Amino acid sequence: MAAERLTSILKHLTPGSALSNITSKNPDDIVITLAIRTPLAKARKGGFKDTSLEYLAYATLKEVRERSKLDPSLVEDIAMGNVSDGKSSYKLRAAALAAGFPNTAGAYTLNRFCSSGLKAVEDIANAISSGSIEVGIAMGAESMSAGGDALDKPFDEAVTAQSQESADCMQPMGWTSENVSRDFGITREEMDKYAAESFQRAERAQKAGLFDEEIVPIKTRVKDANGEWKEVTLTQDEGIRPGTTPESLAKIRVAFPQWGPTTTGGNASQVTDGAAAVLLMKRSTAVKLGQPILAKYVGATVAGLAPRIMGIGPSVAIPKLLGKYGLTLNDIDVIEINEAFASMAVYCRDKLNLDWSKMNPRGGAIALGHPLGATGARQIVTGLAECRKSGKKILLTSMCIGTGMGMAGLFVNEQ
């Protein structure tokens, strides 16, 4: 173990190498000085089932302000990923003002489906890098108790008749999971085995208290079975199922029999409420303000593919991102891939020949849940916490995106 650690350190320090380039420290680097998330709660029946999107955003932003001890007037913009709420920009602005950020700070939401939280980070980082702003908050929040990403009506046939791939953009996500398992020969047994490992890793991490560093407790209200309101404080993720095995998952009925026989409620991501946020600025600004530097943001990219197999998006986004920086997967220490479905997770792991021990070491969305707009930011929070705990350096995050895309982000732990 000591020899492996020494080899890793020397690899990062080799002058002129791709790794030394991304791990170098320069005043204009975009850095993360705070990374937090809420507990992830079961949608429609968990601790956030009666909590509004604006309250989730408010509570998260209040924690950012209080924990960073940063003068809130220095924050110039707040970007929030959100998928299912068409009024989310109104709600974020109200939440930011309520959380103690002055009206001089901008606020907006964005939607690139499951990558929205990462896209928010990329947007804020680019704004800082270009000189548009100096300090910004990137976050994601989703109340899947209040909504989801299902289409309420078909698209205009004058559009979809022009292209099969255009029409395929209407395919529900469960259908695309079955397409992946069928097209690439991924079996129900493989999917259940993968999902069980995700649950077991998350269970071990939760019992060891590893998530405690990531999670900020959130006080909210819940309506009980009698219609009475009670105040609660959420401190833990709710989706983890202790004792999960491939055998227990094999007993769960198929979720989408009309499309295929492999995807179930046990080997797909959970419907979840939650939020996550990161605070970003240049390294020189962090030093001047006395802010702790957790990590360096290196970059992110997006790649497209056929909508009907959108789940394999990470398999095209990851090589594209690594190629931009001259890196290989051997250079990556921790890989966080969103487990939208076990079908896509198994495919991406095997197609890219990923070291499974590096991939989602604390479990993923199958066990923890997938609050659509928040996941891209949540992965960064979890991945950096794992890097700090294990003494690892390079973090790669990635996710598939509905309608046929993948996104990936690259970070350097500095703690």
Side-chain angles (χ1 to χ4, degrees), residues 15-28:
S17 71
L19 273 175
S20 69
N21 289 337
I22 69 165
T23 56
S24 64
K25 297 180 180 180
N26 304 291
D28 286 342

Side-chain angles (χ1 to χ4, degrees), residues 274-344:
V278 299
L279 179 60
L280 295 140
M281 62 192 73
K282 284 187 177 180
R283 185 182 301 277
S284 56
T285 304
V287 171
K288 181 176 68 176
L289 297 175
Q291 287 285 304
I293 296 174
L294 301 185
K296 173 182 175 179
Y297 166 82
V298 179
T301 195
V302 67
L305 71 158
R308 65 179 299 279
I309 51 171
M310 69 91 205
I312 71 171
S315 72
V316 293
I318 289 173
K320 181 180 177 181
L321 181 64
L322 295 181
K324 289 181 179 296
Y325 296 98
L327 301 173
T328 72
L329 283 165
N330 290 332
D331 298 317
I332 307 302
D333 297 314
V334 175
I335 304 166
E336 287 284 328
I337 292 184
N338 185 42
E339 299 167 351
F341 300 96
S343 57
M344 55 74 56

Side-chain angles (χ1 to χ4, degrees), residues 32-53:
I32 295 171
T33 60
L34 183 73
I36 60 172
R37 69 176 180 91
T38 71
L40 302 183
K42 295 180 180 180
R44 295 187 286 275
K45 55 184 177 181
F48 286 141
K49 69 181 179 66
D50 302 305
T51 298
S52 66
L53 175 66

Side-chain angles (χ1 to χ4, degrees), residues 9 15 17 40 46 108 127 133 145 209 245 257 287 402:
I9 292 171
S17 71
L40 302 183
Y108 72 102
I133 64 173
S145 290
T245 64
V287 171

Side-chain angles (χ1 to χ4, degrees), residues 112-168:
R112 190 179 265 167
F113 304 115
C114 303
S115 70
S116 298
L118 176 58
K119 179 58 178 167
V121 172
E122 182 186 42
D123 277 9
I124 291 294
N126 287 345
I128 296 170
S129 184
S130 70
S132 175
I133 64 173
E134 291 190 6
V135 178
I137 298 169
M139 62 182 297
E142 201 77 41
S143 172
M144 295 189 76
S145 290
D149 62 345
L151 297 176
D152 54 1
K153 62 181 179 179
F155 296 160
D156 189 333
E157 284 190 14
V159 174
T160 57
Q162 306 303 315
S163 160
Q164 182 58 50
E165 288 197 335
S166 174
D168 288 345

